Amino acid sequence: MTASHSDSLVVLFGATAGAYGAKLGSDERELILLVWQVVDLHSKKVGTLHKSLVKADNLDLSDQCREVSGLTPEGLGKAEPLDRVLQQFSQLVSSDLKVLGRSSYTLCSDGQLLIRQVLHPETSKKNFLLSDCFYSFYDLRKEFHACYPSSAAVKDQTIKTMAEYLGLATDETEEDFGVWQVKTMVAIIFSMLSESCNHVFTEPETVKYKYETGPCSKSETVDSETVIRARGLPWQSSDQDIARFFKGLNIAKGGVALCLNAQGRRNGEALVRFVNSEQRDLALERHKHHMGSRYIEVYKATGEEFLKIAGGTSNEVAQFLSKENQVIIRMRGLPFTATQEDVLGFLGPECPVTGGKEGLLFVKYPDGRPTGDAFVLFSCEEYAQNALKKHKEILGKRYIELFRSTAAEVQQVLNRYMSTPLIPTLPAPLIPVIPPTYTIATGSIRDCVRLRGLPYTAGIDDILEFMGDATADIKPHGVHMVLNQQGRPSGDAFIQMKSADKAFMVAQKCHKKMMKDRYVEVFQCSGEEMNFVLMGGTLNRSGLSPPPCKLPCLSPPAYAAFQTAAVIPAEAALYQPQALLPATRTPQASAAAPPTVTYYPAQAAQLYMNYTAYYPSPPVSPTTVGYIAAPPGAVAATATHTPILPQPGALVRMQGLPYNTGMKEILSFFQGYQYAPDDYNGLIQLSDQARSVLQAPKEWVCL
């Protein structure tokens, strides 16, 4: 039993099978030791000191753990598992409290790591609950600094430095590992309780029991020191899954924002906002921790990035999301004529919607037309699960898809649709998809190399330095960085060499050579193989695997017809986002690079791997239409290219067509609109049938 003003402390110390000290819990290693002792704050008496070994699933101890703790796998193999040890902990603490005549207690640990970074994450992964006492604790380092302001900063404190500040003797060799730490912590507490200090333990640290959902307004101020970006998330992960990954850390209300790409699909990233910078710093220590079988990368982010994803301005959305602690489900594919009564009837009495009609939010275009999407609120997980069982059931003549969603996703989807023009047009200026004068060869001559596994911070000069003397054999404009659909470096680059022999020599010499802190794989390839890789195929030393669009079982989507003869997919914007690539150093940075030769195309030379063009969207990825405009500065590069679409002009993409729709039905649908001039034919690959229709006398056409 615990209380806000406890009359006892339980001094707690623990160790894992891996890192020790300031890095405790950063390597995901399991707990192997717990030591504790009850301290009566009023009588200044102590209970029995207890030490329990914990049997970990992986008994492979790190060298540091063996050296510091003196524990062995053999000894740990005879111990109890963590759930049994925690049960014994509760029983023994209760027994000691009875002996001391006390009823309530609060944990006291050396810093935050044992509670937040070890116990909570491990029990969450092992699917058992911690007792309430582990959700409130005192950080001895903070309490010590509050009692002795002239002592070292909290982040620099250790048990040993606190004892030395007080002049307490500490001999680590006289006691077992863990025992001397607890005894020293108890001595420090008694010094703080002395008449000269008379310290009072009143404000414990707290751990949130669960993540709270809620809306976020664009007018809010978000501290950049509280936001992280999580990358590599499973497609089906929800905000609750992300909160579970960061179990033990306090996420701000509505602080999980799943990111969508330009097509409206989840891109495997999320922005997470914590209650303070201390929690954010602890979150960064979980870099490359695992969610299931996937490791998650954790990086710093900014408040502006969070507001861009999670912030909203719509009063309708704010009112919809004002109901707290609701489970949000997204419905997709609704008939355009569907009403609130139709949706409630589809869901049925087994999954009642919170507030009835008020718990429904239909997504509409600015002119009020329905998009076929809606969001639904449920008061509990049980109702949401019942709703998800109706995935792909029929409403009217259409099957309905249901997915878990988040408050941030509601904001993103509404923002996206409300900002969409009534007739989506290509933004001007848009970089043309016509190949420039320095096109990548598409033949079978293997005079190119592919670099895979580049550091994401690597620039052109880093590649030239990596290749050393071989830079003299690179063709002018022959270094091509590859960006992914989000405009970030993909870790790949293609380099055109002057001959196949030169490419072979580079692949042999530089394969698995280190660049910064990573080794880079180098493969010899041809322009045709580059094309395969950019379309989603794989290339390694075992050979070439075709992209999904070349396989018999998968045909390219309809919009693949918009590609040109260039190897760069038309779905990819051919520009260089200056903010995403390192600044190019001076030519003298690479001694082997003659200053008169340009190794990479200026401005519009970035290639985009066409991930989303051929892979089907994941089961929980929403699909919407989006366009990416060219950034400032990229327009200048269009001067030497073939002219882009004459303005005014537009391409309209049609979604939701019946499968038996023919050319005549589409043309009839757009009757009355001005047709496109013949200049459009040079930009779009058309079938002979389509080209004959376009070239025939007419007054309207759809592209």
Side-chain angles (χ1 to χ4, degrees):
M1 177 181 178
T2 61
S4 57
H5 297 285
S6 303
D7 45 28
S8 301
L9 294 180
V10 176
V11 178
L12 184 67
F13 177 83
T16 69
Y20 174 71
K23 288 295 183 180
L24 183 70
S26 63
D27 52 5
E28 287 189 286
R29 298 304 302 273
E30 296 171 275
L31 191 73
I32 60 170
L33 175 68
L34 273 182
V35 186
W36 69 90
Q37 187 172 30
V38 177
V39 177
D40 188 334
L41 294 177
H42 299 289
S43 66
K44 297 182 178 59
K45 295 180 180 180
V46 296
T48 305
L49 191 147
H50 301 278
K51 177 178 179 179
S52 289
L53 299 181
V54 183
K55 183 179 180 180
D57 295 336
N58 181 7
L59 294 177
D60 182 20
L61 306 183
S62 68
D63 294 338
Q64 184 185 27
C65 176
R66 290 173 183 268
E67 180 182 352
V68 173
S69 69
L71 299 174
T72 63
E74 292 75 17
L76 293 173
K78 301 175 183 178
E80 296 286 351
L82 180 59
D83 55 344
R84 293 288 301 276
V85 171
L86 292 177
Q87 290 176 8
Q88 295 173 6
F89 169 83
S90 298
Q91 295 170 0
L92 293 172
V93 168
S94 297
S95 177
D96 289 342
L97 287 173
K98 288 181 180 179
V99 173
L100 294 172
R102 300 301 176 185
S103 59
S104 63
Y105 69 93
T106 303
L107 298 180
C108 180
S109 65
D110 171 35
Q112 311 252 335
L113 301 183
L114 176 62
I115 305 293
R116 295 191 185 276
Q117 297 286 67
V118 178
L119 281 167
H120 277 282
E122 183 173 341
T123 54
S124 177
K125 289 178 181 177
K126 294 182 176 179
N127 293 315
F128 61 86
L129 298 176
L130 284 171
S131 60
D132 291 345
C133 68
F134 290 98
Y135 288 85
S136 177
F137 67 97
Y138 288 107
D139 181 346
L140 183 59
R141 300 184 185 188
K142 288 186 177 180
E143 298 294 331
F144 184 85
H145 188 73
C147 185
Y148 303 101
S150 61
S151 62
V154 173
K155 63 182 180 65
D156 298 325
Q157 297 278 19
T158 64
I159 296 176
K160 193 170 184 178
T161 59
M162 289 187 287
E164 290 175 350
Y165 183 86
L166 296 174
L168 300 176
T170 57
D171 189 351
E172 304 176 22
T173 61
E174 291 185 359
E175 303 284 356
D176 290 340
F177 178 72
V179 173
W180 79 265
Q181 284 91 340
V182 170
K183 286 186 175 181
T184 305
M185 291 168 68
V186 171
I188 292 171
I189 291 172
F190 283 155
S191 296
M192 296 167 61
L193 295 174
S194 64
E195 294 182 1
S196 59
C197 297
N198 199 25
H199 183 73
V200 180
F201 291 83
T202 56
E203 296 183 4
E205 300 286 319
T206 58
V207 180
K208 288 188 176 182
Y209 283 87
K210 63 178 181 179
Y211 167 67
E212 298 178 275
T213 61
C216 177
S217 171
K218 284 189 179 295
S219 61
E220 287 187 33
T221 301
V222 177
D223 184 0
S224 293
E225 296 300 313
T226 64
V227 183
I228 61 94
R229 179 183 296 273
R231 183 178 298 169
L233 299 166
W235 297 108
Q236 67 273 22
S237 59
S238 66
D239 54 350
Q240 297 296 337
D241 295 322
I242 296 169
R244 186 177 181 182
F245 175 80
F246 289 109
K247 184 68 174 177
L249 305 180
N250 294 337
I251 299 175
K253 182 178 178 180
V256 177
L258 294 167
C259 301
L260 307 181
N261 62 18
Q263 286 72 43
R265 304 185 182 103
R266 293 180 185 172
N267 63 8
E269 295 188 6
L271 292 170
V272 185
R273 177 188 178 190
F274 293 90
V275 295
N276 54 43
S277 59
E278 181 183 34
Q279 304 287 305
R280 192 283 305 268
D281 292 341
L282 291 175
L284 292 172
E285 291 296 326
R286 300 197 188 183
H287 178 60
K288 292 197 173 180
H289 282 205
H290 288 76
M291 180 184 289
S293 59
R294 299 175 65 102
Y295 72 80
I296 309 302
E297 300 174 73
V298 182
Y299 303 101
K300 291 182 180 180
T302 66
E304 292 180 359
E305 290 176 304
F306 182 82
L307 287 176
K308 183 178 180 181
I309 297 298
T313 56
S314 170
N315 292 330
E316 183 182 13
V317 176
Q319 183 177 359
F320 176 76
L321 296 175
S322 63
K323 302 177 180 64
E324 299 181 358
N325 300 323
Q326 301 291 309
V327 183
I328 305 175
I329 298 296
R330 180 178 181 180
M331 303 180 69
R332 190 172 66 190
L334 292 168
F336 294 143
T337 57
T339 63
Q340 292 177 324
E341 290 78 7
D342 294 332
V343 174
L344 293 175
F346 172 81
L347 294 171
E350 63 273 18
C351 38
V353 177
T354 301
K357 295 181 181 180
E358 294 182 359
L360 296 176
L361 178 64
F362 285 91
V363 182
K364 299 179 180 180
Y365 289 108
D367 62 352
R369 291 182 297 114
T371 64
D373 281 31
F375 292 96
V376 189
L377 295 179
F378 296 99
S379 59
C380 66
E381 187 66 28
E382 179 185 357
Y383 295 158
Q385 289 290 348
N386 291 338
L388 291 173
K389 293 177 182 177
K390 297 180 180 291
H391 180 61
K392 292 198 174 181
E393 288 190 7
I394 302 298
L395 175 59
K397 295 183 179 180
R398 305 191 63 171
Y399 71 84
I400 310 302
E401 298 173 287
L402 291 95
F403 313 107
R404 287 184 175 276
S405 188
T406 67
E409 188 172 46
V410 176
Q411 299 280 22
Q412 287 183 82
V413 173
L414 266 293
N415 291 344
R416 187 185 304 274
Y417 276 113
M418 292 305 293
S419 62
T420 302
L422 299 184
I423 301 180
T425 60
L426 286 173
L430 187 74
I431 301 302
V433 295
I434 300 301
T437 56
Y438 42 83
T439 57
I440 298 177
T442 58
S444 59
I445 300 176
R446 298 171 64 81
D447 58 351
C448 307
V449 292
R450 177 189 181 188
L451 274 59
R452 186 173 68 183
L454 295 168
Y456 293 128
T457 57
I460 298 293
D461 293 298
D462 295 310
I463 293 177
L464 298 181
E465 183 177 348
F466 171 81
M467 296 187 65
D469 296 339
T471 54
D473 300 318
I474 300 175
K475 287 184 179 180
H477 307 293
V479 178
H480 305 270
M481 301 291 289
V482 181
L483 307 182
N484 61 22
Q485 280 281 18
Q486 286 73 50
R488 298 186 180 90
S490 67
D492 282 43
F494 288 112
I495 300 176
Q496 294 174 271
M497 308 301 293
K498 292 181 178 179
S499 69
D501 291 339
K502 300 295 185 183
F504 175 80
M505 293 299 295
V506 170
Q508 293 295 316
K509 180 180 178 181
C510 297
H511 183 59
K512 293 197 174 180
K513 180 180 173 183
M514 298 299 294
M515 179 186 294
K516 298 184 178 179
D517 58 344
R518 302 186 62 171
Y519 73 83
V520 178
E521 298 174 286
V522 183
F523 307 109
Q524 185 182 11
C525 64
S526 65
E528 183 180 7
E529 289 169 338
M530 284 190 199
N531 191 16
F532 270 58
V533 172
L534 289 172
M535 294 302 173
T538 59
L539 171 65
N540 52 42
R541 290 182 177 268
S542 301
L544 180 69
S545 298
C549 62
K550 302 294 184 181
L551 298 177
C553 58
L554 286 176
S555 58
Y559 54 85
F562 288 102
Q563 296 174 3
T564 69
V567 303
I568 303 173
E571 282 285 308
L574 307 185
Y575 59 80
Q576 174 177 339
Q578 300 298 327
L580 298 177
L581 293 176
T584 304
R585 301 192 294 268
T586 59
Q588 288 78 8
S590 177
T596 58
V597 178
T598 302
Y599 289 100
Y600 51 95
Q603 298 291 335
Q606 304 307 318
L607 309 184
Y608 280 65
M609 275 194 169
N610 197 7
Y611 293 118
T612 59
Y614 294 103
Y615 286 97
S617 63
V620 297
S621 298
T623 54
T624 57
V625 179
Y627 299 100
I628 304 177
V635 182
T638 66
T640 59
H641 298 302
T642 305
I644 62 175
L645 299 179
Q647 298 295 330
L651 296 177
V652 179
R653 178 183 174 190
M654 303 178 69
Q655 289 182 302
L657 291 171
Y659 291 115
N660 57 354
T661 301
M663 182 67 70
K664 292 183 179 180
E665 287 81 5
I666 295 176
L667 296 177
S668 176
F669 178 82
F670 282 98
Q671 185 172 2
Y673 287 88
Q674 182 180 1
Y675 77 98
D678 289 340
D679 289 345
Y680 282 44
N681 297 348
L683 291 175
I684 305 171
Q685 291 183 353
L686 301 172
S687 64
D688 294 339
Q689 178 187 7
R691 193 175 300 280
S692 63
V693 173
L694 289 174
Q695 292 175 346
K698 53 195 173 298
E699 296 181 354
W700 30 259
V701 72
C702 166
L703 290 179

